[in-house]
Amino acid sequence: MNDKIIITISRQFGSGGRNIAKKIAKAMDIPFYDNELIIEGAKESGIDPDMVRALEETPTNSLFYSLSTSSVFGGGQFSPIIDLPMTDKVFLAQSEVIRKFAEKGSCVIVGRCANYVLRDDPDTLDVFIHRSVDERVNQVAKLYDLSQKKARETVKKVDKQRSGYYSYYSDKNWGQADNYDLALNSGLLGEDGCVAVIQSYIDKMMQRRKVRGQR
Amino acid sequence: MNDKIIITISRQFGSGGRNIAKKIAKAMDIPFYDNELIIEGAKESGIDPDMVRALEETPTNSLFYSLSTSSVFGGGQFSPIIDLPMTDKVFLAQSEVIRKFAEKGSCVIVGRCANYVLRDDPDTLDVFIHRSVDERVNQVAKLYDLSQKKARETVKKVDKQRSGYYSYYSDKNWGQADNYDLALNSGLLGEDGCVAVIQSYIDKMMQRRKVRGQR
């Protein structure tokens, strides 16, 4: 039986999804990859990490603007015609990095449409973590020392960015349950509860693989 | 601590969600309520079960048509002006039945927007069961002895009906992960695996309630 598992985690901002992902990786003693590691990995394709950070999950509608005005690019020196292929190049380079991580063995990957990038990989378990807006606003206000108003704006903005990024590249809706194998409301469970339920899912899935002798 | 739990199950057609719901109810030794029981319960409000069955999760766009042509109503004797309140009356009567079931104590309720109807009830756990279209088509073809083509049409049609019904009454998207506390791909887990993961979720949720002493 094949025990390999690539856990991709998508998450609403402030849901605790990143922590849950780290905890799962630790509990299972497998590598954890996040945006930073994916961006660093893309260096090999000649992608400048600073440029990627500047684009940070920006939906395409805003890319034209951010690319043509961002100081990273010297301000206004790019035309939209050049911009689009560059953002696609970044996405492709990151996707290549994600595939290389997945090839190495079991791991947890957070963000960057990893569930979409690895859609043809039979060893993935795709997880989505969400939580009520009010609870996320409180969490973000506390974590980043923001006012309630500012925290609410930030939650809205980051969710919109992630949703836009996902829809643009996958042509699917971010947060639609059937894009994921498991979606959890972390507000009812807490981070450790989510870790336990994800582990329970993996146990049952592995038992089924074994019984079916599929692999 | 309050141990009461109302488990609502929404499901794509052919996902095995109804069986999973029945198995959960059996494992937890709590009542199971489905469409039939909800429809029967609505009798008390003067709603004719035959009429409700004729409307069976029909999205509103088609209601005008089905109401004005259905033999149940004598064919064409209702104008759209009368029709809309009647379908709403059915929905309200069913919602009342669902609320009464929930008041009685822990239970499992399948379908009829129960998660939306009980949205303000703090004791609910809202579950969504989905599965890949191809697997559902195979399942439906086998269960109902249909050709692949007919099974695919049926899956599409019933999903569309459920989605339309849910969106019309809740103003939310059916199958959007954050409308549910737990969403599962039953294709990876099987029915018994889903039951086990739902139970694991409930265990962790109850532990958390206890620790927090919220209730």
Side-chain angles (χ1 to χ4, degrees):
Chain A
M1 193 191 78
N2 173 12
D3 275 343
K4 186 177 165 188
I5 187 161
I6 314 296
I7 303 164
T8 73
I9 310 241
S10 311
R11 73 288 179 218
Q12 289 180 338
F13 187 59
S15 67
R18 194 172 180 279
N19 276 348
I20 291 165
K22 276 176 99 166
K23 285 179 179 184
I24 276 278
K26 200 178 169 193
M28 296 178 68
D29 196 22
I30 57 178
F32 167 77
Y33 302 117
D34 64 357
N35 289 347
E36 275 304 305
L37 284 163
I38 295 169
I39 293 172
E40 281 300 313
K43 261 187 186 172
E44 287 174 25
S45 317
I47 303 287
D48 175 5
D50 284 339
M51 182 187 81
V52 178
R53 281 183 202 104
L55 298 177
E56 193 64 6
E57 296 193 0
T58 311
T60 306
N61 287 347
S62 326
L63 276 184
F64 295 127
Y65 179 77
S66 66
L67 278 167
S68 56
T69 59
S70 165
S71 63
V72 177
F73 308 101
Q77 72 183 66
F78 289 86
S79 76
I81 294 158
I82 301 169
D83 296 347
L84 196 58
M86 177 160 57
T87 64
D88 286 351
K89 198 178 148 197
V90 169
F91 179 76
L92 292 174
Q94 292 189 347
S95 301
E96 202 44 49
V97 173
I98 288 171
R99 274 185 221 104
K100 276 184 190 161
F101 287 153
E103 271 167 27
K104 281 191 205 167
S106 296
C107 62
V108 179
I109 307 175
V110 154
R112 301 284 149 174
C113 298
N115 71 323
Y116 178 74
V117 172
L118 300 174
R119 65 194 175 281
D120 295 325
D121 188 323
D123 298 319
T124 51
L125 172 74
D126 301 317
V127 180
F128 185 77
I129 307 288
H130 59 89
R131 197 173 173 182
S132 77
V133 174
D134 287 347
E135 287 176 319
R136 293 190 289 127
V137 166
N138 287 337
Q139 182 73 1
V140 166
K142 213 171 69 182
L143 274 177
Y144 300 97
D145 195 23
L146 299 175
S147 70
Q148 286 279 316
K149 190 174 166 243
K150 188 74 195 159
R152 194 166 294 272
E153 284 168 13
T154 309
V155 162
K156 257 195 189 166
K157 193 179 145 195
V158 179
D159 276 357
K160 207 174 162 187
Q161 284 173 342
R162 288 184 184 169
S163 168
Y165 185 84
Y166 190 83
S167 310
Y168 177 69
Y169 285 111
S170 74
D171 207 18
K172 292 182 168 205
N173 286 336
W174 189 65
Q176 182 70 23
D178 54 10
N179 292 338
Y180 312 92
D181 299 309
L182 174 62
L184 294 170
N185 172 4
S186 61
L188 275 189
L189 281 182
E191 291 180 6
D192 293 335
C194 287
V195 171
V197 172
I198 295 169
Q199 284 183 304
S200 153
Y201 193 109
I202 294 170
D203 285 350
K204 295 297 159 194
M205 193 177 97
M206 290 298 182
Q207 275 174 29
R208 196 153 185 261
R209 268 195 200 172
K210 213 168 177 172
V211 171
R212 297 193 141 197
Q214 284 175 319
R215 293 158 194 224
Chain B
M1 191 190 80
N2 173 11
D3 274 341
K4 186 177 165 189
I5 187 162
I6 314 295
I7 304 164
T8 73
I9 310 242
S10 311
R11 73 289 178 218
Q12 289 180 338
F13 187 58
S15 67
R18 195 172 180 280
N19 276 348
I20 292 164
K22 275 176 99 166
K23 286 180 178 183
I24 275 280
K26 199 178 169 193
M28 296 178 68
D29 196 22
I30 56 179
F32 167 77
Y33 302 117
D34 64 358
N35 290 348
E36 275 304 306
L37 285 163
I38 296 169
I39 293 172
E40 281 300 313
K43 262 186 184 171
E44 289 174 26
S45 317
I47 303 287
D48 175 4
D50 284 339
M51 182 187 82
V52 178
R53 281 183 202 105
L55 297 177
E56 193 65 5
E57 295 194 2
T58 311
T60 305
N61 287 346
S62 326
L63 277 185
F64 295 127
Y65 179 77
S66 66
L67 278 168
S68 55
T69 59
S70 165
S71 62
V72 177
F73 308 101
Q77 72 182 66
F78 290 88
S79 75
I81 295 157
I82 302 170
D83 296 346
L84 194 60
M86 177 161 54
T87 64
D88 286 350
K89 198 178 149 199
V90 169
F91 179 76
L92 292 174
Q94 293 189 345
S95 301
E96 203 43 52
V97 174
I98 288 170
R99 273 184 221 104
K100 276 183 189 161
F101 286 153
E103 270 166 28
K104 282 191 204 166
S106 296
C107 62
V108 178
I109 307 175
V110 154
R112 303 282 149 173
C113 299
N115 71 323
Y116 178 74
V117 172
L118 300 172
R119 63 194 177 282
D120 295 326
D121 187 323
D123 297 319
T124 51
L125 172 73
D126 300 318
V127 180
F128 184 78
I129 307 288
H130 58 89
R131 196 173 173 182
S132 76
V133 174
D134 287 347
E135 287 176 319
R136 293 191 288 126
V137 167
N138 287 337
Q139 183 73 1
V140 167
K142 213 170 69 182
L143 275 177
Y144 300 96
D145 195 22
L146 298 175
S147 69
Q148 286 280 314
K149 192 176 166 241
K150 188 74 194 158
R152 193 167 295 271
E153 282 168 15
T154 309
V155 162
K156 257 195 188 165
K157 194 179 146 196
V158 178
D159 276 358
K160 209 174 160 187
Q161 283 173 343
R162 288 183 184 170
S163 168
Y165 185 84
Y166 189 84
S167 309
Y168 178 69
Y169 285 110
S170 73
D171 208 18
K172 292 183 167 202
N173 286 336
W174 189 65
Q176 182 69 24
D178 53 11
N179 292 337
Y180 312 92
D181 300 308
L182 173 62
L184 294 170
N185 172 4
S186 60
L188 274 189
L189 280 183
E191 290 179 6
D192 293 334
C194 286
V195 171
V197 171
I198 294 168
Q199 284 184 304
S200 153
Y201 193 109
I202 294 170
D203 286 349
K204 296 296 157 192
M205 193 177 96
M206 291 297 181
Q207 276 174 28
R208 197 153 185 260
R209 270 196 197 170
K210 212 168 181 174
V211 170
R212 297 192 143 197
Q214 284 175 320
R215 295 161 190 220

